[in-house]
Structures are given as structure tokens and as C-alpha cells.
Amino acid sequence: MVIEFDRELDARGLNCPLPILKTKKALADMVSGQVLRVTATDTGSVRDFQAFAKQTGNDLLSLSELNKEFTFFMKRK
């Protein structure tokens, strides 16, 4: 499944809470319905992005892992 996205954020090499903080800032600069693709290497980011989606109401459309890199697709509420 290919998800189209409007903006991309590279959070590789950053540790908690930086991937979430940078995602929050990026989403704030986007309009409702736009999709942000985030790539991260922090193993805790899976749990963090799930909690962030619940708390903010933004949709976590997809999350995947390949070679210790996590890819998240977040849809702006």
C-alpha cells in the first residue's frame, strides 16, 4: 500500500522526545487533511507516536519498521 504524503520529516538519530516534538511542530505548519511522513530510529518512537495520535486527535495512518528504521504517516486533524 502506497500512502501519498505532503511533507516529510527525517527524525533519524534523534531520541525521545525530539521525534515527537519535531512532528508536532511540522503538523502545526500543515493544513487539516495533509499527511506527514516521519522516519525515526528511536525504538521508543512506536509507543510515542501511538500515544501522540491519541492525545492530539491526529490520525496515525500507518507505521512500519525496516532495518531498525520506523516510518510513520500522520494525518493532520
Side-chain angles (χ1 to χ4, degrees):
M1 179 171 103
V2 175
I3 298 177
E4 296 201 17
F5 56 94
D6 302 287
R7 195 163 167 198
E8 189 168 18
L9 173 64
D10 183 357
R12 290 178 288 194
L14 301 177
N15 292 321
C16 183
L18 290 176
I20 289 294
L21 292 175
K22 289 188 173 285
T23 297
K24 183 178 180 181
K25 185 177 186 313
L27 287 171
D29 293 337
M30 298 170 70
V31 298
S32 181
Q34 286 188 313
V35 176
L36 174 67
R37 177 181 186 245
V38 183
T39 306
T41 51
D42 181 10
T43 56
S45 62
V46 172
R47 182 181 62 248
D48 294 342
F49 272 84
Q50 291 169 334
F52 176 75
K54 256 186 195 174
Q55 291 171 352
T56 63
N58 294 300
D59 290 329
L60 178 58
L61 300 176
S62 170
L63 70 91
S64 61
E65 179 189 1
L66 180 63
N67 299 326
K68 298 184 183 179
E69 279 191 4
F70 303 94
T71 302
F72 305 92
F73 287 90
M74 298 286 305
K75 185 176 182 181
R76 173 83 156 90
K77 68 175 178 178

